Amino acid sequence: MSKEKIVINDISYEPFESENQMSEITSLIESHLSEPYSIYTYRYFIHSWPDLCLLCYDKNRKCVGVIICKLDYHNNSYRGYIAMLAVDKEYRKRKIGSTLVKMVVNKMKEQNADEIVLETEKTNTGALGLYEYLGFIRDKSLPRYYLNGVDAFRLKLFLKDPPNLLQNNININNENMNEFEEYL
Amino acid sequence: MTYIDITDLVNRATEDFAVGQLLKKDSFTLYETMSAIEIMDPKMDSGMKCKKPKYDFNSLKTCSISMEQVIKIIDKLNGLEVQWLKGYMIYQTLLTCLFVNDPLNISNSYLKAYVNGLLKCCYYSYNYITTAAVYSEEDFVRDSTGFIDSYFPKDIPDAEIVGDLQKIEEELMKKLKNQKKNNNSNEELPEDPKNEVEIINSLLARIRFRRAFLNVLSNFVQSNKKNMNKIKKSITFASTQIPIMKETEETINADIDDFFDENINRKMYSQMPRVTVKFTSEETYEYYTNFFNEAIYLCSLTTEAPYQALINIAKKISGSSNTSTLLRAILHCIIFDSNTIISNPKESKLLKRMNLVECIKEWLISFCDPVMYMQSDNEEIKELMNAFYDRYLNSAVDCIRIYGYNRARLRRLLVKFITEWDKLQEECELLDNKLWDILVMSTGLYNEEEPKYYISSYIYHIKLLYLEEFLSLGIELEIFMKHELLYTYWYLHYLYDVHEDHLERSEQLQSFSSNYKKINMKSKDYNLEKNLADLKLSSYSYLYEKMIISAHKVISNAYVFMFIAFRKTQICKNPECEFDKENVRFFHRFKLFTEVNSPAIVPYEIFLQNIEAIQSEENSLNNCFAYAATEFNNAKQLLLRIKQFPDNVTQTQFYHDAFLKDIDDLLIVVQKNIDNINIISRKISIFMKIKSMNTNVNTRKMNINLNFEHNKIYPIIEID
Ligand SMILES: CC(C)(COP(=O)(O)OP(=O)(O)OC[C@H]1O[C@@H](n2cnc3c(N)ncnc32)[C@H](O)[C@@H]1OP(=O)(O)O)[C@@H](O)C(=O)NCCC(=O)NCCS
């Protein structure tokens, strides 16, 4: 299988290739995320959805960013899930994080996903800022979501267009429109 | 049992594996991977051999503990108690203290009395929370094995535990007196007399606090007037100890590490990743203080009251920043008489004295007074009405129960709840038709009239309240972001508008009822005077409900205009990313409305047309600000009138002071916004002028600030 590499601003974005990258991934994630993940958790994601695990390297082949995801059915929707995302401290605020997310979002769109979800701590302004900048919305408030007792938000990005409601409802709503027009 | 070393076997068995290859069963899914433990990883493996603890249970019995150590142990125990009440397992918290595992054998009498007092408090807390059963796994961990019971001194009577604490208080008081005497007589001073006095005082405060807390918890079980008065006193007493405890927390030092062991739980059945529960003493005292501040309101639950007043107090406790799982559980135990309501809603007594069916009838009367059905002699009507009460019982109970849960989950609960009410409303429309047909047939009157929708109007009213709350909670829980507030307030305004109309229509029901009474009912049928008084009260209540809805309507409308201005000037704009689509967001945010029969969903296109019409108006910016100011002023007038109603009209009997404070806070928001609008509009027009001259100006430089300090739904808007 040919693995495509994309280079933007000297940073190379590449899909997961081999077990040798595992230690780069775990060390980058462990130093930035609070939850302790067992090696099985990494393997569960990476081996089941290797194309949804992306890494990025700088010119010196230092691994400076990683994103790990999955895509499967949840109730009635085909749901993507961003499990982990981290960018090396020295490399932040250069659009690396958002590029990684955009790439997986596009991959999931190609695979016909309905929506993408993830959880992040309420206090993680960096991650909240990044996902909101990309159009994710907060779907739920999750009290005490993490082992350390911190609250979280579930964020969601909807990928499908909604049904057209206009036809059925136009009458009732004109009434409401009049209200407004009266007001102005 | 002997162990066999299988290292070699495993190595041989896995020889053919490529690096990283994993052999697993299909059932080993994400959940299993997340809870799997990596053996010998100290971060996860709680079975790893650690350093041997200094004490075992035997040597603990005889160890000597200084008074400073007792104080420090107490402080840590308090912190652990609070963390347990906040949702950590008892094994991770209280049971990490060696003494708690063997309380009867504690040699130090101070500590022994304290630990028993603490454990008795835990016993009560545990019972309230598990009996009320309004928690989820994140809020509280129930022990399914029943093992936990053996830790609580449930067989030792309260009086004995309280007596032990009191004895110690007396002993400490004596010591203090002696100290003073010694100080005065100046003989044989201990090394540091001032310090000695401080230590005794600190311990005394802690013992007193515990005794008072135990009194509070134990007396809520029998929530009669006498006990509630005792609780009030105990709350005041406990509250005065907290500052002393806080003050001395810092000044007293002692090493107590050896009396706690985080790994003690590995000897017990519990298996979990090792988590060190971290907390600050500030958090601990804040919890207690908040608990007492709010528990005072529970003490007022001694009189009879309309069901709505009970819903209102549950709502208040749910929305308070002082709330906690324990507090909400106690409230539920008091209102629902230890939750007998679940097994027998028809017979069980609210507040141990009120019948739920009677409460429902009262509520219905106060809304629309369907007297021709409620007081009918017609057997068929009677039967239909009784069937309605039965059907309605559980929904009425839920009106209070949903406020027992963690507020972060309330939106999700409301989704289910609203769908239920929607079904109920549909059923009630059929019921209304049936009742009307019978009435027309049996009286031979009203052939010409349209059927009257009494019951379903009442249900719709309540459903609208929940829909409004559902959207408002999105703002309160910070689920809606800044760029989503325009459509949120816009939709809220639509709901309040529908609601206002509905209340106006329903007023006709009341006048139909009073006509019916004049014609069909003789004064002997009921006590006329009482009835008139009740009627007057309920018509005021109705007026109040209408005014509240109108106030919300004008306030949300004011925000709509503010945010239209911010949208037009791009001060608050949508994310500029190809994935963001406002129509998609709009659809999902208001999806619930596609699932209920009424009110009709307003599609995104209508919203957009409406907003764009306003935006494209000539002079639209100034107009928007002018409209907003007018609406805020309207709100102010309404709120000032609302403040005048007595508590039996507003149904806030149990917390009227807090209710008035909320109105005052909202008035502050309204007034501040009125004041700010001038500044904001001036700043924006200058900014727009500069921008029109120089297109390079970045609009991001101007930013709105939303201050939710005074109200969680309606912010004070500032600009910088
Ligand atoms: C979150 C994280 C991945 C962001 O990576 P990044 O490469 O710095 O992000 P980008 O440069 O792509 O940022 C894109 C946008 O996100 C927002 N953003 C990013 N970091 C932010 C921060 N600290 N505060 C506020 N907004 C932030 C900004 O809007 C930014 O756009 P801008 O630069 O034009 O203002 C990185 O901070 C990180 O690794 N954090 C620790 C791990 C973590 O929290 N992971 C997410 C858990 S789900």
Side-chain angles (χ1 to χ4, degrees), chain B residues 693-705:
Chain B
M693 289 186 288
N694 175 3
T695 45
N696 290 334
V697 176
N698 188 352
T699 30
R700 274 211 186 176
K701 275 186 198 147
M702 205 155 199
N703 219 330
I704 48 163
N705 238 331

Side-chain angles (χ1 to χ4, degrees), chain B residues 677-690:
Chain B
I677 282 177
N678 280 330
I679 307 166
I680 294 174
S681 78
R682 226 178 317 130
K683 273 193 187 168
I684 288 187
S685 65
I686 296 170
F687 179 72
M688 294 307 283
K689 258 185 213 144
I690 299 173

Side-chain angles (χ1 to χ4, degrees), chain A residues 19-20 30 35-41 43-45 47 70 81 101-102 105-106 109 122 132-150 153 157-166 169-170 172-174 176-177 179-181 183-184, chain B residues 19-20 22 28-30 33-34 36-38 43-44 86-88 138-139 273 275 406 408-409 412 477-479 481 484 490 493-494 497 553 557 561 575-581 583-585 587-589 594 600-603 605-606 609-610 614 617 627 630-631 700:
Chain A
E19 180 70 19
N20 301 333
E30 264 167 28
E35 290 282 280
Y37 292 112
S38 76
I39 187 71
Y40 304 113
T41 309
R43 293 221 163 94
Y44 168 82
F45 286 109
H47 288 290
K70 73 168 181 165
Y81 178 71
V101 177
K102 277 185 188 175
V105 169
N106 282 324
K109 269 175 118 172
K122 278 190 181 174
E132 281 159 20
Y133 158 86
L134 292 174
F136 281 75
I137 58 172
R138 300 175 185 180
D139 188 44
K140 278 179 185 168
S141 178
L142 307 168
R144 299 178 60 83
Y145 184 75
Y146 293 101
L147 285 177
N148 59 11
V150 172
F153 280 123
L157 181 68
F158 296 98
L159 300 175
K160 297 280 169 72
D161 281 337
N164 187 346
L165 297 170
L166 200 55
N169 285 283
I170 191 82
I172 304 130
N173 297 303
N174 269 342
N176 194 248
M177 279 294 286
E179 252 275 318
F180 267 91
E181 276 154 17
Y183 191 87
L184 296 171
Chain B
V19 178
L22 178 70
F28 192 75
T29 61
L30 181 58
T33 69
M34 298 277 287
I37 285 170
E38 269 178 70
K43 264 207 303 223
M44 299 187 193
K86 283 186 169 190
Y88 280 109
E138 320 86 69
D139 308 316
V275 174
N406 190 324
R409 297 184 151 269
R412 278 169 272 171
L477 299 174
E478 295 173 72
I479 288 177
M481 293 167 287
E484 294 185 284
W490 189 86
H493 173 260
Y494 163 68
D497 188 46
K553 181 182 150 182
N557 206 25
F561 285 114
E576 288 160 350
C577 176
E578 72 262 30
F579 302 135
D580 180 64
K581 289 188 184 148
N583 65 326
V584 179
R585 275 194 270 118
F587 173 78
H588 288 282
R589 286 309 196 196
T594 63
I601 174 124
V602 194
E605 290 76 5
I606 301 283
Q609 275 171 27
N610 180 232
I614 298 170
E617 229 180 285
Y627 296 142
T630 310
E631 290 292 56
R700 274 211 186 176

Side-chain angles (χ1 to χ4, degrees), chain B residues 437-454:
Chain B
D437 287 347
I438 301 170
L439 185 75
V440 172
M441 289 258 282
S442 62
T443 56
L445 298 168
Y446 314 119
N447 263 319
E448 309 290 291
E449 298 233 15
E450 292 272 303
K452 300 277 176 278
Y453 291 95
Y454 275 95

Side-chain angles (χ1 to χ4, degrees), chain A residues 32-33 85-87 91-98 118-120 124-127 129-131 133, chain B residues 700:
Chain A
H32 298 304
L33 295 185
L85 164 71
V87 173
Y91 287 77
R92 289 195 187 161
K93 287 275 175 192
R94 295 195 208 168
K95 295 274 183 283
I96 295 177
S98 45
L118 64 111
E119 291 94 23
T120 183
N124 190 343
T125 45
L130 177 135
Y131 287 112
Y133 158 86
Chain B
R700 274 211 186 176

Side-chain angles (χ1 to χ4, degrees), chain A residues 19-20 40 43 47, chain B residues 9-25 28:
Chain A
E19 180 70 19
N20 301 333
Y40 304 113
R43 293 221 163 94
H47 288 290
Chain B
L9 179 72
V10 172
N11 281 342
R12 273 185 289 129
T14 54
E15 244 162 37
D16 291 340
F17 277 18
V19 178
Q21 210 168 5
L22 178 70
L23 184 67
K24 69 171 183 72
K25 281 171 80 172
F28 192 75

Side-chain angles (χ1 to χ4, degrees), chain A residues 54-156:
Chain A
L54 300 180
L55 294 95
C56 43
Y57 293 94
D58 71 358
K59 274 197 286 197
N60 306 318
R61 294 301 292 169
K62 177 179 168 198
C63 177
V64 297
V66 60
I67 189 163
I68 295 174
C69 313
K70 73 168 181 165
L71 178 61
D72 59 3
Y73 281 94
H74 175 88
N75 298 334
N76 287 325
S77 81
Y78 197 36
R79 181 188 259 198
Y81 178 71
I82 300 179
M84 305 172 206
L85 164 71
V87 173
D88 189 299
K89 273 213 171 67
E90 305 285 310
Y91 287 77
R92 289 195 187 161
K93 287 275 175 192
R94 295 195 208 168
K95 295 274 183 283
I96 295 177
S98 45
T99 306
L100 282 168
V101 177
K102 277 185 188 175
M103 283 176 169
V104 294
V105 169
N106 282 324
K107 281 189 181 209
M108 289 179 188
K109 269 175 118 172
E110 277 163 26
Q111 295 177 43
N112 204 24
D114 295 306
E115 59 186 21
I116 301 172
V117 302
L118 64 111
E119 291 94 23
T120 183
E121 291 180 10
K122 278 190 181 174
T123 47
N124 190 343
T125 45
L128 286 173
L130 177 135
Y131 287 112
E132 281 159 20
Y133 158 86
L134 292 174
F136 281 75
I137 58 172
R138 300 175 185 180
D139 188 44
K140 278 179 185 168
S141 178
L142 307 168
R144 299 178 60 83
Y145 184 75
Y146 293 101
L147 285 177
N148 59 11
V150 172
D151 294 346
F153 280 123
R154 156 123 355 106
L155 304 187
K156 213 178 219 183

Side-chain angles (χ1 to χ4, degrees), chain B residues 509-525:
Chain B
L509 297 173
Q510 289 173 354
S511 53
F512 185 80
S513 294
S514 57
N515 279 336
Y516 180 93
K517 273 191 211 168
K518 265 185 224 152
I519 300 166
N520 294 296
M521 298 176 89
K522 291 168 204 89
S523 56
K524 72 165 173 53
D525 287 351

